Amino acid sequence: MSHPDPSVAPSEDVPAAHPPLVGAALGVVGAVVAMLVGGWLLLAPFALGYQPQDADWADPTHADFWAGLGLLVLGAIVLIASTVDLVGRLRAAGAITGARPAPPAPEPAGPPAPAADDELASLLKPLIAALGQDADRGTSHNGTVRTASDPANPEMPR
Amino acid sequence: MRLPLRVQVLFSLLFAAAGIWIVIAPTAVGYQPAGQPWVDATYNDVIVGGLLTVVSLAILAAQIIGTTRARLRAASASGGRA
């Protein structure tokens, strides 16, 4: 009697390997830091005051400005590339679905709104019923009893 | 689009190189005279450049470690299923 080798048997408990997300996420973080540093370097000569106003740029201003501009551009490129990479990896891991969320389903059609004629009919229905009852009792609406020989009521059986 | 690990490493190395340049710029460009007290620009460049260098190298290490661990995990998972 032979038992299957457990080291060879397929293991259902092993989670599926996801693409590495850490590198892409850290790329985004690094790009943001670089852009912040680049922006600060652009502003620093004026913010810290070592670039006199209305004067030619000093050496520190040139150095900081061009280094900051380069960092800003490089950071923007890396930010775009890393964001695209991160989104692709998240999509591959199933954290992001490609389909956009479906618009909310339209509400099921209820009974149609009563039209003005229906509303009027429903208002008049009790009145019609009352008039019908009066007619059944054989009385006119002013209380007089109608008789078969009443000429005002030609429909009454005689 | 997938960025290979070497491209991510290249980005981090570029940021680290920029940080190192910002640190040495006062001396290299010459607006910080040797043996003199530091000027404001030197303080700013050393602090900002040092920060960028440290952050870039930390991100570089984390990228390499994270990617290596993910690959090892994937390799062990595929080996367990084989």
Side-chain angles (χ1 to χ4, degrees), chain A residues 108-119:
Chain A
D117 291 345
D118 294 342
E119 200 171 341

Side-chain angles (χ1 to χ4, degrees), chain A residues 50-65:
Chain A
Y50 55 82
Q51 170 57 45
Q53 281 192 339
D54 300 330
D56 289 342
W57 278 12
D59 284 346
T61 307
H62 277 291
D64 286 352
F65 180 82

Side-chain angles (χ1 to χ4, degrees), chain B residues 61-79:
Chain B
Q63 281 174 330
I64 292 175
I65 292 171
T67 305
T68 304
R69 287 182 62 185
R71 287 183 181 176
L72 287 175
R73 208 179 312 134
S76 65
S78 64

Side-chain angles (χ1 to χ4, degrees), chain A residues 28-51:
Chain A
V28 173
V29 173
V32 170
V33 170
M35 290 184 72
L36 288 174
V37 168
W40 168 248
L41 284 176
L42 288 176
L43 295 175
F46 310 98
L48 297 180
Y50 55 82
Q51 170 57 45

